[in-house]
Amino acid sequence: MQSEQLLSRKVESLSQEAERCKEEARRACRAGKKQLALRSLKAKQRTEKRIEALHAKLDTVQGILDRIYASQTDQMVFNAYQAGVGALKLSMKDVTVEKAESLVDQIQELCDTQDEVSQTLAGGVTNGLDFDSEELEKELDILLQDTTKEHFDLPENPPETFYTNSVPNPRISDAELEAELEKLSLSEGGLVPSSKSPKRQLEPTL
């Protein structure tokens, strides 16, 4: 890591030197000093070659660092695997296939017993419900009998009221109605014949 930092600083310094040589060549070219400009460009190229060599070395150092980091990660993973194996061995210390099969058989037996108990309890509850249904039917019969008795004990209808004024009794026969109408006609001195009697003229009484 120290070598990486040293190479990185050296590359940065040389990059600044190459940029300075480039500026000197530009100024010499503007001033018309061609030879000075060429020397500055040559110095710039030598500096760039050194930078390229340093970049190669820096890449090698960084590659080694990457491998170191990867190896450290691999070591962490290896330690985790090793710890996991130890934990599994400890947790499976007393566990065998025979014990597992025995546990499964016991669980199945307990489940079967639980099903039988549930069915038994359900049957008992059903019997109790049937008994309650019979009691309800008996009570319903009693209520129906009481309702029928109340229906027969209802008071009789009040007698019909007959009116004797000018409204005739609907139970009077047609002959009686005609006779009553004829009497009324005679008492008033009119000549109102009955609807069914023969037409004749009646003299008024003096």
Side-chain angles (χ1 to χ4, degrees):
M1 293 175 65
Q2 291 177 358
S3 299
E4 181 187 19
Q5 293 176 0
L6 179 62
L7 290 172
S8 297
R9 288 196 297 267
K10 190 65 175 177
V11 169
E12 184 178 357
S13 178
L14 290 175
S15 298
Q16 293 176 359
E17 184 178 352
E19 187 67 24
R20 186 173 58 255
C21 292
K22 183 178 179 180
E23 287 295 329
E24 289 177 356
R26 185 179 292 111
R27 286 195 300 268
C29 185
R30 291 175 182 175
K33 300 178 180 180
K34 185 176 180 180
Q35 295 297 327
L36 181 60
L38 289 175
R39 287 196 296 268
S40 297
L41 288 177
K42 288 180 181 180
K44 173 180 172 294
Q45 290 178 355
R46 289 193 298 268
T47 303
E48 289 177 349
K49 288 181 180 180
R50 293 174 61 187
I51 291 173
E52 291 179 359
L54 289 176
H55 270 303
K57 295 176 182 179
L58 183 60
D59 291 339
T60 302
V61 172
Q62 289 177 345
I64 294 173
L65 286 175
D66 290 339
R67 289 180 178 276
I68 293 172
Y69 296 148
S71 65
Q72 291 177 351
T73 304
D74 293 339
Q75 183 65 36
M76 291 174 59
V77 174
F78 176 80
N79 293 335
Y81 284 174
Q82 190 173 9
V85 170
L88 285 173
K89 287 181 179 179
L90 183 62
S91 62
M92 300 289 292
K93 183 178 180 181
D94 297 330
V95 177
T96 60
V97 177
E98 291 78 9
K99 290 182 179 180
E101 292 178 351
S102 177
L103 287 175
V104 172
D105 293 338
Q106 292 179 17
I107 292 172
Q108 185 63 43
E109 184 178 356
L110 290 174
C111 290
D112 295 338
T113 303
Q114 184 183 9
D115 293 338
E116 293 177 359
V117 171
S118 299
Q119 292 177 1
T120 303
L121 293 176
V125 172
T126 303
N127 292 333
L129 292 176
D130 292 341
F131 177 76
D132 293 339
S133 299
E134 293 177 0
E135 292 293 330
L136 290 174
E137 290 179 0
K138 291 180 181 180
E139 187 174 354
L140 181 61
D141 293 336
I142 296 173
L143 291 175
L144 291 174
Q145 293 176 2
D146 294 340
T147 304
T148 305
K149 184 177 180 182
E150 291 177 358
H151 177 72
F152 285 113
D153 292 340
L154 291 176
E156 297 179 356
N157 293 329
E160 296 181 357
T161 304
F162 299 98
Y163 298 93
T164 57
N165 293 331
S166 60
V167 180
N169 191 340
R171 295 184 179 179
I172 299 175
S173 62
D174 294 340
E176 292 176 347
L177 286 175
E178 290 178 0
E180 184 71 22
L181 180 60
E182 188 175 356
K183 289 179 181 179
L184 290 174
S185 299
L186 292 174
S187 63
E188 292 177 359
L191 301 175
V192 182
S194 174
S195 59
K196 292 185 178 181
S197 61
K199 294 181 180 180
R200 58 188 180 88
Q201 186 175 2
L202 299 177
E203 295 180 357
T205 57
L206 296 177

